[in-house]
Amino acid sequence: MNDELERLRGRAVLVAGAGVSGRATIEPLTDLGAHVTVTDRNERALAECAALGARTVDLDSLVDDPAALREFALVVTSPGFPPDAPLLSRAAGAAIPIWGDIELSWRIDRAEVYGPARRWLAVTGTNGKTTTTMMLHAILEASGLGSVACGNIGLPVLDALRRDEPRADVLAVELSSFQLHWAPSVRPEAGVVLNIAEDHLDWHGGIENYIEAKLGALTGVVGVIGLDDPIAGGLGDRSRAVVTVGFTLGYPQEGELGISGELLVDRAFADSAVLARVDDVTPPGPAGLSDALAAAALARAIDVPASAVHDGLRRHRVGPHRAAPVGQVDGVEYIDDSKATNPHAARSSLLARDRVVWIAGGLLKGARVDDLVAEVAPRLSGAVLLGRDAGDIADALARHAPQVPVVVVDTGDDEAMTDATSETDTSSVRRAVAPGADGPAAMRVVVREAAALASPGETVLLAPAAASLDMFADYAERGRSFASAVEELRGGGTQP
């Protein structure tokens, strides 16, 4: 065991956050001999941590008593805590080390606490992380390597490390910018930055800090960058990887993966190896092909044969809430892309369709939507908006697409709605009231309004360009609510 972990034996460690990632740290820290305390505001989550043997303390009481921090040798933070969170600011001021759960995972793995160290293949980017990670996992499985998809995708890395059967020798690790910020020691065997667009700027305090966090994936043996993305494509000079390669939807130059005709081709790890056909890739379209090339690059970086890339991509199927069809009503197709939680992600879905009634809104997290609206305006037949930042999107539509009819669904609970479309002419905007409605009930109103705007042959697209937590438990609940509302529209449920 290395010195940093050995020093935790018999010492008090504070875990900030009692959610999935926080709970996953309790048993490993206990295995290291540490005395674990978990802090949070959620009493139910704290009770679950107590059942695992941790001492618990209310977050507010801890913040109100800075002296109480002095007993801790380390703070392990969940990724949701930003650097300026009062608890972490006070810990830093007291010179207490702060690790994220990924940093702890990396150190435990390098120390071989749970067996020989694994090879990490890291996936980050603003959009496409989960799809790329699952494609990579499918490729690794096709190659016969023991693999598990973990990290931000749902399974904590610590839980993956502690699994006895089946043992994973290679980890396909999805990493958010939050996780990378708190994991400075991670050096993956290979890591990719898919793309970078405005997202989580409120957490990071600006785009440069966000980029710096993403660069944490380019610190190992092989770094991979998305060359077609204006920001990610320019990170070659800033990559700290031993070797940096790229992928593109165009014909690949030497040191790149790309597309030649109908073939995915590797010119980075081979002279010109054919990896798969374009029609082997699901989901189809530019975003899916980019993700496939990124996954292939990571696999090829550890010498996975081209045949396994082909087989893995053929087996992969897109997960729910990622541009998934949910039904057709009166000649109109309904698509659930609730995972499009920022403008960059929504852009891919909107540009993939000719005529769209766009369902959008939620928490923009500091991102701007004007460029997106200006680009997709010719494709819009209408827009239905809900959530706290619906007004910002309505204003952008009024500025850049004044001909597009817009419906703002108002539950009466969002202060932001009061100021919706306050900056511009609102002649094309009307309100639909769902007074006091929760998220799923409001979504039923949204879908009815969208259906009224759509014509046969068009698409009603849920691509919110914003996070869901103002009205829903998560993007998955938002997507399920959309699918349920579409089913009701088809006559398969009870009308509200």
Side-chain angles (χ1 to χ4, degrees):
M1 188 180 301
N2 62 30
D3 290 343
E4 291 87 352
L5 297 181
E6 186 63 42
R7 280 196 289 268
L8 298 180
R9 186 173 301 279
R11 305 290 299 278
V13 174
L14 178 66
V15 175
V20 173
S21 61
R23 288 196 299 273
T25 69
I26 295 172
E27 292 188 46
L29 286 168
T30 302
D31 291 343
L32 295 173
H35 303 305
V36 183
T37 297
V38 181
T39 186
D40 203 304
R41 292 190 178 94
N42 187 319
E43 293 183 5
R44 177 179 292 183
L46 287 176
E48 293 178 5
C49 293
L52 294 173
R55 174 176 165 250
T56 63
V57 60
D58 176 72
L59 177 60
D60 291 325
S61 66
L62 194 58
V63 170
D64 292 341
D65 182 14
L69 287 174
R70 294 174 187 164
E71 69 173 286
F72 298 108
L74 172 70
V75 174
V76 178
T77 181
S78 300
F81 281 76
D84 60 356
L87 177 69
L88 301 187
S89 295
R90 289 178 178 174
I96 300 171
I98 302 171
W99 299 351
D101 65 300
I102 297 300
E103 179 76 6
L104 177 64
S105 303
W106 175 259
R107 290 174 182 258
I108 284 176
D109 190 35
R110 294 305 98 180
E112 300 188 342
V113 173
Y114 298 116
R118 283 71 165 177
R119 288 186 285 179
W120 289 41
L121 302 178
V123 178
T124 196
T126 303
N127 300 302
K129 295 186 294 296
T130 298
T131 299
T132 302
T133 302
M134 292 310 298
M135 286 177 169
L136 173 60
H137 177 52
I139 292 169
L140 294 171
E141 284 195 322
S143 75
L145 290 169
S147 166
V148 65
C150 55
N152 192 58
I153 201 169
L155 176 70
V157 176
L158 285 166
D159 286 352
L161 295 176
R162 296 174 67 240
R163 286 169 55 170
D164 293 327
E165 295 292 339
R167 175 182 163 82
D169 297 310
V170 183
L171 304 183
V173 189
E174 178 184 327
L175 294 176
S176 71
S177 59
F178 304 163
Q179 291 172 315
L180 284 164
H181 175 88
W182 294 117
S185 299
V186 170
R187 301 290 183 269
E189 188 83 5
V192 63
V193 178
L194 301 169
N195 45 59
I196 294 178
E198 288 186 347
D199 199 16
H200 305 302
L201 302 190
D202 48 353
W203 195 98
H204 289 281
I207 187 67
E208 184 54 38
N209 290 339
Y210 181 57
I211 294 171
E212 188 62 34
K214 293 295 189 186
L215 280 165
L218 306 179
T219 55
V221 180
V222 177
V224 182
I225 55 178
L227 297 172
D228 297 335
D229 183 81
I231 299 178
L235 295 181
D237 292 339
R238 299 176 65 179
S239 170
R240 300 192 293 277
V242 177
V243 176
T244 301
V245 303
F247 64 90
T248 174
L249 293 178
Y251 183 80
Q253 303 301 310
E254 185 177 352
E256 299 174 3
L257 292 83
I259 296 178
S260 175
E262 294 299 311
L263 302 175
L264 278 65
V265 176
D266 174 13
R267 298 193 65 203
F269 305 100
D271 288 338
S272 189
V274 175
L275 303 175
R277 295 186 59 81
V278 167
D279 57 12
D280 289 332
V281 176
T282 303
L289 289 170
S290 291
D291 295 342
L293 289 165
L298 294 177
R300 297 286 284 164
I302 61 168
D303 298 323
V304 169
S307 59
V309 175
H310 170 266
D311 292 345
L313 290 178
R314 282 181 60 85
R315 295 175 189 174
H316 171 264
R317 290 295 177 265
V318 67
H321 316 301
R322 294 168 175 83
V326 298
Q328 190 172 93
V329 184
D330 296 332
V332 175
E333 186 177 23
Y334 290 76
I335 300 292
D336 168 17
D337 198 14
S338 183
K339 188 65 168 63
T341 56
N342 56 65
H344 188 269
R347 175 182 180 271
S348 296
S349 277
L350 287 162
L351 292 179
R353 292 157 182 88
D354 293 330
R355 295 297 296 171
V356 173
V357 174
W358 182 27
I359 297 175
L363 301 174
L364 287 172
K365 302 169 291 184
R368 295 169 296 180
V369 293
D370 282 78
D371 290 347
L372 169 65
V373 170
E375 183 176 10
V376 303
R379 298 172 185 267
L380 298 180
S381 297
V384 184
L385 311 176
L386 80 166
R388 193 185 74 182
D389 292 334
D392 292 340
I393 302 174
D395 283 339
L397 285 160
R399 284 191 291 273
H400 303 291
Q403 77 286 357
V404 174
V406 176
V407 179
V408 176
V409 175
D410 187 352
T411 66
D413 294 329
D414 291 312
E415 292 181 8
M417 288 294 188
T418 304
D419 299 321
T421 67
S422 60
E423 299 179 7
T424 51
D425 173 32
T426 62
S427 57
S428 63
V429 178
R430 69 178 180 84
R431 292 178 183 272
V433 179
D438 60 10
M443 184 62 77
R444 290 197 289 272
V445 177
V446 167
V447 168
R448 289 202 306 269
E449 293 291 341
L453 292 173
S455 299
E458 296 183 341
T459 299
V460 170
L461 173 65
L462 172 66
S468 58
L469 298 181
D470 56 336
M471 298 183 72
F472 300 90
D474 49 29
Y475 74 83
E477 186 195 29
R478 181 169 60 187
R480 290 192 298 269
S481 299
F482 174 73
S484 177
V486 172
E487 184 62 26
E488 287 186 1
L489 193 69
R490 296 170 64 182
T494 303
Q495 296 292 336

